[in-house]
Amino acid sequence: QVQLVESGGGLVQPGGSLRLSCTASGSIFRAATMGWYRQAPGKERELVAQMRISGTSTYADSVKGRFTISRDNGKNMGYLQMNSLRPEDTAVYYCNLLYFSTVYWGKGTLVTVSS
């Protein structure tokens, strides 16, 4: 069974940085596409960044140049480095694994960007 646990969220001032981590249990991590999504209050969940098994990554236009997704297959961990944070980045951030047609979600970690 696959479980995902996010950590690293918190309160940060505009312009600050946070690094989110995603710890995965099970044995599929290295064979799965990993993604970070976010959901702001009153809005739909949206894709922030995604990294494929090949290592290629894609980003939402709103975070390009500010966020960096990475993964350590040996540790079953994924990361999202977030720099130059803005109030509009405030949301619950979720880690996601796509393994063939099965999707796994973590419970999320709250990021609040406010002065």
Side-chain angles (χ1 to χ4, degrees):
Q1 187 174 359
V2 176
Q3 290 186 327
L4 303 176
V5 179
E6 302 93 340
S7 61
L11 174 64
V12 62
Q13 292 186 342
S17 298
L18 281 176
R19 187 194 195 202
L20 305 184
S21 298
C22 173
T23 303
S25 64
S27 60
I28 69 165
F29 183 82
R30 64 178 64 242
T33 294
M34 182 193 72
W36 287 95
Y37 287 70
R38 68 185 180 187
Q39 187 166 17
K43 295 188 176 181
E44 294 187 353
R45 192 173 296 189
E46 63 175 356
L47 175 65
V48 175
Q50 191 176 64
M51 177 171 275
R52 298 169 185 79
I53 303 168
S54 63
T56 58
S57 57
T58 56
Y59 296 89
D61 287 343
S62 59
V63 307
K64 281 181 182 177
R66 300 188 298 123
F67 291 11
T68 303
I69 188 172
S70 61
R71 61 193 296 169
D72 185 336
N73 291 334
K75 295 182 178 180
N76 273 15
M77 291 195 70
Y79 307 95
L80 184 68
Q81 178 66 44
M82 306 186 295
N83 299 327
S84 301
L85 283 161
R86 305 168 180 168
E88 55 263 39
D89 295 317
T90 295
V92 177
Y93 284 71
Y94 299 90
C95 179
N96 160 283
L97 288 184
L98 173 61
Y99 181 68
F100 290 97
S101 60
T102 302
V103 179
Y104 301 91
W105 292 96
K107 294 183 178 181
T109 185
L110 176 63
V111 172
T112 302
V113 184
S114 175
S115 54

